[in-house]
Amino acid sequence: MTLTIYNKISILQLAFFAPSLVVAGTLSYRHGFRRSAGWIYLVILSLMRIIGASMELATISSPDNASLAIGAQTLQNIGLSPLILVLLGLVTRTYLAMSETSRPALPNARILRLLQLVVIIGLILSIVGGINMGNQVSDELVNGTPVSYTVATESKAGIALMIVGYVLLLLSAVALTSGLSAIPNGEKRLLLAVFVALPFVFVRLLYSILSAFDTSNPNFRQFGGSTNAGYYVLGMCTIMEIIAVIIFEAVGLTLPYVPHNERGSLLNPTRAVHNLDSNGQPLGQYPQSNGQYYPKLQQNESA
């Protein structure tokens, strides 16, 4: 049995995203499952890749099952939005860690929430567009006839919103550098991770743009593409996602654990300044010799 490039990509995804899911779940537990924290989207991306890869490999034994191929392709297409949402979560945490007097006028908390909504709407549109496109090609896949399709309007709109989200995210990260000295030392690494990951996420975004708006290029056709199309998926999607996830999870693992009842002080500078936990009660701190400002565990708590 000869494996296709897509089969090999799926094996790579399973090998990476299965352990990545464990790390992502750990980070979500340690740092919070809130959407604004961003870590939950690493869990979602890992699940997307595991399920999509499993569906792709299932086509080996069921080559006539168009639903498997379409499902795998749809999950492949929507992997961009969780990456942007993780970046947004890191930017949001950095913004909230700054003292209120040091925060730039833009972005603000309302803008960051709106940006999150834009990307989520883009994700929903991409899913709808993928389903619509799947309906176009299902019969052709079953019959083995040449596949022809047009990219759904919803997919194009979803990618357009991703572009808007990426650009605004980049501008927000740049704006936060104006108050770099006001960011706690322990949180500065988050902003660094954002800037390191942004180029890799851009390549992933570029692939989505080309596959949605340049359908005449067989290298970026999602169905019925050239023999090289899979290698573009590997280089511009899979590898870029893996590198970005490594960056996110590496920085997440270096962040000190903050107990659940004290996270309000980390995300609320007013409480942090007054040395209060999320309930307004006094709390202990790590020694500030290393320049970090994080609550420590209370006597009756464990990590």
Side-chain angles (χ1 to χ4, degrees):
M1 179 184 64
T2 302
L3 296 177
T4 68
I5 180 61
Y6 294 103
N7 298 151
K8 295 176 182 178
I9 290 173
S10 296
I11 293 172
L12 174 61
Q13 289 176 329
L14 286 175
F16 176 79
F17 283 102
S20 171
L21 176 61
V22 177
V23 176
T26 301
L27 292 176
S28 296
Y29 173 77
R30 286 171 61 88
H31 303 304
F33 286 92
R34 298 178 308 277
R35 288 179 300 172
S36 60
W39 307 110
I40 187 62
Y41 296 110
L42 283 177
V43 174
I44 293 173
L45 176 62
S46 297
L47 287 173
M48 283 181 179
R49 290 294 164 257
I50 292 171
I51 296 172
S54 300
M55 295 176 74
E56 169 61 36
L57 291 176
T59 62
I60 297 175
S61 59
S62 303
D64 296 330
N65 191 330
S67 297
L68 289 174
I70 293 170
Q73 185 61 57
T74 300
L75 288 172
Q76 175 64 41
N77 293 342
I78 62 178
L80 173 64
S81 51
L83 291 177
I84 296 178
L85 288 167
V86 175
L87 286 169
L88 180 59
L90 299 185
V91 168
T92 300
R93 173 163 170 162
T94 303
Y95 169 82
L96 292 174
M98 301 172 69
S99 63
E100 295 181 8
T101 57
S102 301
R103 294 173 182 172
L106 292 175
N108 54 41
R110 180 174 299 178
I111 292 296
L112 292 173
R113 286 195 297 268
L114 180 61
L115 180 52
Q116 183 184 67
L117 179 61
V118 167
V119 178
I120 291 176
I121 292 175
L123 168 62
I124 295 172
L125 289 173
S126 297
I127 294 173
V128 173
I131 294 173
N132 290 340
M133 187 172 67
N135 293 334
Q136 294 182 50
V137 303
S138 58
D139 292 338
E140 295 168 342
L141 288 175
V142 171
N143 298 329
T145 57
V147 176
S148 62
Y149 66 90
T150 56
V151 177
T153 302
E154 293 88 352
S155 294
K156 293 182 178 180
I159 296 302
L161 290 179
M162 296 297 173
I163 296 172
V164 171
Y166 181 90
V167 172
L168 293 179
L169 174 64
L170 173 60
L171 295 175
S172 298
V174 171
L176 290 182
T177 61
S178 64
L180 195 61
S181 60
I183 301 174
N185 289 345
E187 302 292 290
K188 288 179 181 178
R189 71 193 75 176
L190 295 175
L191 199 56
L192 175 61
V194 169
F195 283 111
V196 173
L198 275 170
F200 301 103
V201 178
F202 174 77
V203 174
R204 178 64 181 85
L205 173 62
L206 180 60
Y207 179 88
S208 295
I209 293 171
L210 293 172
S211 63
F213 296 100
D214 188 18
T215 54
S216 61
N217 189 332
N219 292 324
F220 298 99
R221 287 185 65 81
Q222 299 171 26
F223 295 98
S226 70
T227 55
N228 294 323
Y231 294 97
Y232 282 87
V233 173
L234 174 63
M236 298 182 70
C237 296
T238 305
I239 298 300
M240 296 300 104
E241 290 175 358
I242 288 175
I243 293 175
V245 169
I246 289 174
I247 294 170
F248 298 146
E249 294 190 340
V251 73
L253 289 172
T254 67
L255 294 175
Y257 173 80
V258 180
H260 291 266
N261 70 317
E262 295 184 0
R263 284 176 184 160
S265 64
L266 175 62
L267 298 179
N268 188 322
T270 300
R271 291 195 184 115
V273 169
H274 292 89
N275 195 25
L276 304 176
D277 67 9
S278 58
N279 298 314
Q281 301 300 315
L283 52 83
Q285 299 171 334
Y286 287 116
Q288 298 189 37
S289 59
N290 60 356
Q292 295 185 5
Y293 187 101
Y294 291 104
K296 64 181 180 181
L297 292 173
Q298 301 301 307
Q299 293 181 352
N300 60 342
E301 293 181 326
S302 63

